[in-house]
Amino acid sequence: MSLRTDAVNHVSYGTISSPDIKGAKITGVFGESVFTLKTAREYLSDEAYKSLAASVRGGKKIERTVASQIASGMRAWAESKGVTHYTHWFQPLTGSTAEKHDSFFTLKSDGTAIEEFEGAALIQQEPDASSFPNGGLRATFEARGYSAWDPSSPPFIIEIGNGKTLCIPTIFISYTGESLDYKAPLMKAVESLNKAAVTVCNYFDKNVTKVTPTLGWEQEYFVIDEALVNARPDLVQCGRTVFGFTPAKGQQLEDHYFGSIPERVYAFMRDFENESYKLGIPLRTRHNEVAPAQFECAPIFEEVNIAVDHNILLMDVMSRVAKRHRLVVLLHEKPFAGINGSGKHNNWSLATDTGVNLLAPGKTPKTNLMFLTFFVNTIKAVHDYADILRASIASASNDFRLGANEAPPAIISVFIGDYLTKVLNDVETRVGTKFDEQDEAILKIDLHRSIPELMIDNTDRNRTSPFAFTGNKFEFRAVGSTANCALPMTILNTIVADTLNKFSEEVEALIAKGDKKEIAIMQVIQKYIVASKKILFEGDGYSEAWHKEAEKRGLPNLKTTPVALDAMVTEKAKKLFKDNNIYTHAELEARHEIELEKYIKKVQIEARVMGDLATNHIIPAAIKYQNELLKNVSLLREAALPEKLYKGQLTLLKDVSTHIQQVYENVHAMVEERKVANNLTDSREKAIAYEAKVKAQYFDKIRYHVDKLEQLVDDELWTLPKYRELLFLR
Ligand code: ADP
Ligand code: MG
């Protein structure tokens, strides 16, 4: 029996029941594994609690002595839940998370065994992390990397089997302070944005003292039976299928979308949702996606820092819980050719400490102007830094979506809907005419009344836009499903901070010249609308016409990661990140290097897996079939049958032989190109060689012939589970 038939026979049709939620209410378990401030109140002294709360809310530093009190309170809480170990939990540049577990258990100098957790261990650790990517940074500066406690994200307990570990969210930095992870720069960006946005907010409302970016992500994923996945080495090693003929019934019927969720998957969802609730992840929606076996979940939005942690945690929880159900979650952007890919829409907005969503149109002329200010500044930021925003979502796996005839395209544009387009046009037509008191009429545009309609009408029309306004937030749709949201969120918050800073400078200059505040603001808004007009696009981002139009407008269309990444190390980028205190030049160079290396490795692995599969699965199966045909033909000849009676077999034989030969030749040629690429020392050149010479030149070609063979070879001989099995059996 082949691996494939064995796998198909082992598809676990049965549903594993999910553990019932206590009292059937989510509120009953929500946050039970999180050391929230509420829990802290119970376990900490007054002094320790106040210090922690001040740090969580206002970013105040925690004294070491107090840290020890907090640590022992945390331990008491964790132990009450059966926790034995703790770990600093961080997000290195590999894209996943890292943990190194230590037990509370320790021996005193006299040999007595005790359980302890000291302040020092809470605040800082030195994981033996020499194998995390650092782009040469630690070599240049200092060999050690430290993880440092980030009190703004609450500690939580991870359960694996019966083991429970207290996870302390940390940032990961070098001894000399260079950041080596995704979180540290994000926190800097959040702070820069806060400063810039508060200044602008104060033009409208003096009571605002803090502005926080909010993020609500939508996570798309595929769920496939574990036995079938295990029989596909490409899924196991690359997270995507490198071969596979798209079945007769794909997604044409779109009958999966918003259809009922299959029972087995439903049990899995309830299970991982339950785990997520315990961790305080506020999941809210679940539904089928367009492609067969594709689903989506989304939480209620949160402060970006917390939302990022929750997304990374969720991806981990999903993958682990899936195993219990003998399922595998595929987070890859494009697991199946010819079938929709997966994204992770990042819904983003700005919230003030006075409870205002700055991207929600207001109810009065004054709040409308505030809305218009933040709205236009965001558009201007995306316009000015489209290349950097594009770079922030570049990865080998996302290239299969962005660069390859799938929505959204690699061209960054902004969708705002008909109504706001009209509003911006109205403002723009006043170009050249100086605003005076009469023109204040424009400040009174009645935005809020029309916006709800806009949301209903437009949110589903802009599926093809990489960056769409959806009524009270922007939705960055080009983010990949495997991505850590921290990077695109760092970039988005930075470019908006930078734009807001420039905006207030210009406004101040006009006020200094004697303009009234509102008039000054309106003039700069007008100027920004004119300057960033070319980034606005309402049509179908998927269409050929848009690609041409975008080129005419001079918008970058960087289809592949190695070249898209260039934007991170230009003079413009260096200035942006330095001005806003996000990355030093050295950090940028290091990150560029790391991203290139990640790209090279990913393509390298895929090329190898392709070669392996072709050589060990495809060609042997095809040869068996070729032999059968040969035997058949020679027997027919022996029987002296007229050739016209087995012309079909002869054609088949010719076709099978041709494709075998093509697979063989192209795999060999690809291996040769890999050798050439491997000899290049410059990472960028090497990445480009892997892209252009290995991937672009051979992946599709090899796949073409393999998929042809899949259609020709006897089904019984084919060893790899086929798309129809992967996508429809569960
Ligand atoms: P849809 O995009 O399908 O219209 P929703 O409007 O419910 O659906 O929002 C989708 C996502 O946007 C959810 O994850 C939600 O939490 C998030 N979201 C809503 N408001 C905000 C906001 N102000 N800031 C950030 N995310 C938000
Ligand atoms: Mg949405």
Side-chain angles (χ1 to χ4, degrees):
M1 194 168 11
S2 82
L3 199 54
R4 168 168 162 246
T5 28
D6 196 35
V8 170
N9 289 336
H10 276 89
V11 169
S12 314
Y13 288 103
T15 298
I16 295 164
S17 67
S18 42
D20 271 329
I21 294 174
K22 266 186 240 163
K25 269 198 180 161
I26 293 165
T27 45
V29 292
F30 191 76
E32 84 175 18
S33 301
V34 185
F35 193 69
T36 57
L37 277 181
K38 199 167 151 240
T39 311
R41 187 82 211 88
E42 267 175 64
Y43 282 86
L44 300 184
S45 69
D46 247 17
E47 181 197 17
Y49 172 76
K50 276 189 189 137
S51 170
L52 181 65
S55 173
V56 172
R57 297 203 180 105
K60 296 236 164 49
K61 233 183 132 145
I62 293 177
E63 297 302 323
R64 282 207 171 231
T65 48
V66 183
S68 277
Q69 293 183 39
I70 298 175
S72 66
M74 247 180 227
R75 176 169 66 88
W77 167 72
E79 283 179 344
S80 79
K81 303 218 163 243
V83 171
T84 50
H85 285 62
Y86 68 93
T87 179
H88 274 199
W89 181 79
F90 57 99
Q91 300 171 30
L93 298 168
T94 47
S96 51
T97 56
E99 305 162 7
K100 177 192 160 218
H101 297 196
D102 281 307
S103 62
F104 292 134
F105 169 82
T106 189
L107 292 175
K108 284 276 158 203
S109 51
D110 65 356
T112 8
I114 61 155
E115 242 96 42
E116 72 172 14
F117 183 42
E118 289 187 351
L122 167 65
I123 291 183
Q124 194 174 74
Q125 272 201 334
E126 192 181 335
D128 179 19
S130 45
S131 51
F132 288 116
N134 58 63
L137 261 186
R138 278 205 308 267
T140 327
F141 294 91
E142 158 65 53
R144 281 170 291 179
Y146 286 94
S147 54
W149 181 31
D150 160 22
S152 66
S153 184
F156 54 89
I157 296 167
I158 278 282
E159 285 175 54
I160 298 180
N162 291 325
K164 293 186 178 183
T165 305
L166 172 67
C167 297
I168 319 277
T170 57
I171 55 168
F172 185 44
I173 47 178
S174 76
Y175 184 66
T176 39
E178 280 77 24
S179 46
L180 299 170
D181 70 350
Y182 284 119
K183 281 303 287 295
L186 175 67
M187 291 167 79
K188 291 179 185 174
V190 166
E191 189 40 36
S192 295
L193 184 104
N194 172 39
K195 280 205 196 106
V198 166
T199 305
V200 174
C201 271
N202 287 346
Y203 290 140
F204 310 97
D205 183 354
K206 290 275 178 238
N207 296 319
V208 173
T209 62
K210 193 175 173 195
V211 172
T212 320
T214 50
L215 166 64
W217 39 263
E218 299 164 54
Q219 178 76 50
E220 291 179 332
Y221 60 95
F222 281 82
V223 177
I224 311 292
D225 181 86
E226 187 181 47
L228 294 171
V229 170
N230 286 342
R232 291 282 314 214
D234 47 356
L235 279 179
V236 173
Q237 295 187 64
C238 315
R240 79 171 184 103
T241 54
V242 296
F243 301 135
F245 173 67
T246 313
K249 178 181 188 297
Q251 64 187 57
Q252 310 92 323
L253 299 175
E254 299 220 342
D255 50 359
H256 179 68
Y257 195 43
F258 283 113
S260 64
I261 297 166
E263 196 172 330
R264 186 173 168 211
V265 177
Y266 182 63
F268 154 66
M269 284 178 173
R270 293 205 353 155
D271 203 359
F272 86 70
E273 284 169 354
N274 194 28
E275 294 286 321
S276 305
Y277 293 140
K278 287 197 230 164
L279 289 164
I281 305 171
L283 288 180
R284 183 87 187 280
T285 44
R286 52 162 109 100
H287 62 78
N288 289 351
E289 263 303 322
V290 182
Q294 193 189 26
F295 305 90
E296 179 189 293
C297 65
I300 298 166
F301 68 92
E302 300 175 278
E303 282 185 21
V304 65
N305 183 29
I306 308 288
V308 162
D309 285 3
H310 281 168
N311 178 245
I312 283 284
L313 255 179
L314 174 95
M315 293 199 282
D316 186 45
V317 168
M318 280 169 90
S319 306
R320 272 191 291 110
V321 172
K323 280 213 159 291
R324 294 208 276 257
H325 295 259
R326 309 230 164 78
L327 292 167
V328 171
V329 168
L330 301 177
L331 293 165
H332 194 286
E333 282 79 355
K334 193 74 182 174
F336 303 99
I339 305 279
N340 265 28
S342 299
K344 172 150 48 203
H345 300 173
N346 276 205
N347 294 273
W348 170 91
S349 191
L350 298 170
T352 68
D353 55 351
T354 53
V356 174
N357 174 357
L358 292 171
L359 289 170
K363 292 196 167 55
T364 63
K366 202 162 119 189
T367 47
N368 266 343
L369 184 56
M370 181 157 85
F371 159 75
L372 202 58
T373 300
F374 284 93
F375 179 68
V376 169
N377 268 281
T378 306
I379 295 170
K380 177 79 158 47
V382 175
H383 171 270
D384 291 358
Y385 297 111
D387 57 338
I388 299 180
L389 201 58
R390 164 68 182 96
S392 79
I393 48 164
S395 70
S397 50
N398 211 14
D399 277 5
F400 288 102
R401 260 172 98 224
L402 302 185
N405 284 343
E406 182 159 349
I411 310 162
I412 298 287
S413 66
V414 183
F415 172 96
I416 59 171
D418 295 343
Y419 187 78
L420 286 162
T421 302
K422 198 175 142 292
V423 170
L424 296 197
N425 283 340
D426 281 354
V427 180
E428 191 203 331
T429 46
R430 288 157 190 259
V431 176
T433 65
K434 184 154 165 55
F435 279 98
D436 55 27
E437 300 290 331
Q438 286 90 30
D439 273 320
E440 281 193 46
I442 200 163
L443 306 182
K444 301 205 173 77
I445 344 165
D446 191 6
L447 285 169
H448 81 277
R449 224 162 23 112
S450 314
I451 291 294
E453 289 161 34
L454 169 118
M455 285 175 71
I456 296 158
D457 291 352
N458 292 337
T459 38
D460 248 6
R461 272 205 309 132
N462 53 29
R463 292 188 159 273
T464 66
S465 175
F467 201 88
F469 185 70
T470 51
N472 56 2
K473 61 192 183 284
F474 278 100
E475 184 167 345
F476 189 12
R477 298 172 160 223
V479 181
S481 49
T482 54
N484 182 328
C485 305
L487 179 57
M489 284 296 108
T490 301
I491 304 307
L492 180 58
N493 288 313
T494 303
I495 63 178
V496 173
D498 188 75
T499 309
L500 288 170
N501 280 332
K502 288 176 179 154
F503 179 82
S504 45
E505 272 169 35
E506 295 200 47
V507 169
E508 295 303 332
L510 289 175
I511 293 176
K513 274 200 270 167
D515 273 343
K516 217 181 128 204
K517 185 174 72 187
E518 280 78 10
I519 302 299
I521 290 171
M522 210 56 205
Q523 285 197 71
V524 184
I525 286 181
Q526 188 188 48
K527 181 178 156 190
Y528 281 15
I529 292 173
V530 175
S532 46
K533 220 178 137 183
K534 74 168 193 284
I535 200 81
L536 297 177
F537 178 64
E538 299 291 300
D540 177 7
Y542 190 28
S543 68
E544 202 37 53
W546 169 233
H547 286 242
K548 289 209 186 92
E549 164 72 13
E551 198 181 332
K552 230 190 280 165
R553 293 191 194 181
L555 296 177
N557 182 5
L558 301 164
K559 293 191 173 189
T560 67
T561 294
V563 290
L565 288 175
D566 286 346
M568 290 300 279
V569 285
T570 56
E571 287 310 311
K572 177 173 102 177
K574 285 180 180 167
K575 183 167 168 14
L576 167 76
F577 292 116
K578 186 155 185 287
D579 286 353
N580 293 281
N581 184 36
I582 313 295
Y583 302 119
T584 62
H585 294 185
E587 285 172 329
L588 273 183
E589 297 286 355
R591 270 157 209 266
H592 183 231
E593 186 72 21
I594 290 167
E595 292 301 327
L596 285 171
E597 266 169 28
K598 269 202 291 203
Y599 180 87
I600 294 166
K601 280 187 193 139
K602 284 263 163 71
V603 181
Q604 203 168 43
I605 290 169
E606 292 202 346
R608 283 198 193 131
V609 168
M610 232 178 204
D612 284 355
L613 286 187
T615 312
N616 303 317
H617 284 255
I618 312 300
I619 293 183
I623 288 177
K624 270 188 204 149
Y625 188 52
Q626 189 185 37
N627 282 338
E628 276 182 22
L629 289 171
L630 278 170
K631 222 186 295 161
N632 178 255
V633 168
S634 73
L635 289 173
L636 289 163
R637 270 204 186 115
E638 260 173 47
L641 254 76
E643 203 174 291
K644 66 173 188 223
L645 288 183
Y646 54 95
K647 255 166 65 195
Q649 283 96 315
L650 288 173
T651 310
L652 255 177
L653 188 55
K654 197 176 120 247
D655 288 349
V656 168
S657 307
T658 308
H659 293 304
I660 291 176
Q661 185 55 23
Q662 283 295 323
V663 171
Y664 180 84
E665 276 174 23
N666 282 302
V667 165
H668 274 262
M670 178 175 75
V671 172
E672 290 311 309
E673 281 298 347
R674 244 162 54 204
K675 286 184 192 154
V676 176
N678 286 342
N679 281 331
L680 297 169
T681 45
D682 178 73
S683 301
R684 184 176 179 276
E685 274 176 28
K686 191 165 163 180
I688 288 178
Y690 260 101
E691 194 285 313
K693 301 286 181 191
V694 179
K695 184 183 162 198
Q697 194 165 202
Y698 292 107
F699 279 23
D700 284 351
K701 212 188 272 175
I702 295 171
R703 181 175 194 137
Y704 172 81
H705 294 290
V706 168
D707 291 356
K708 281 283 174 206
L709 284 171
E710 184 184 324
Q711 289 165 267
L712 296 174
V713 171
D714 180 359
D715 185 66
E716 280 196 14
L717 297 174
W718 200 255
T719 61
L720 297 173
K722 298 184 172 182
Y723 270 26
R724 59 164 194 259
E725 291 149 355
L726 293 166
L727 292 166
F728 294 103
L729 295 187
R730 55 184 163 252

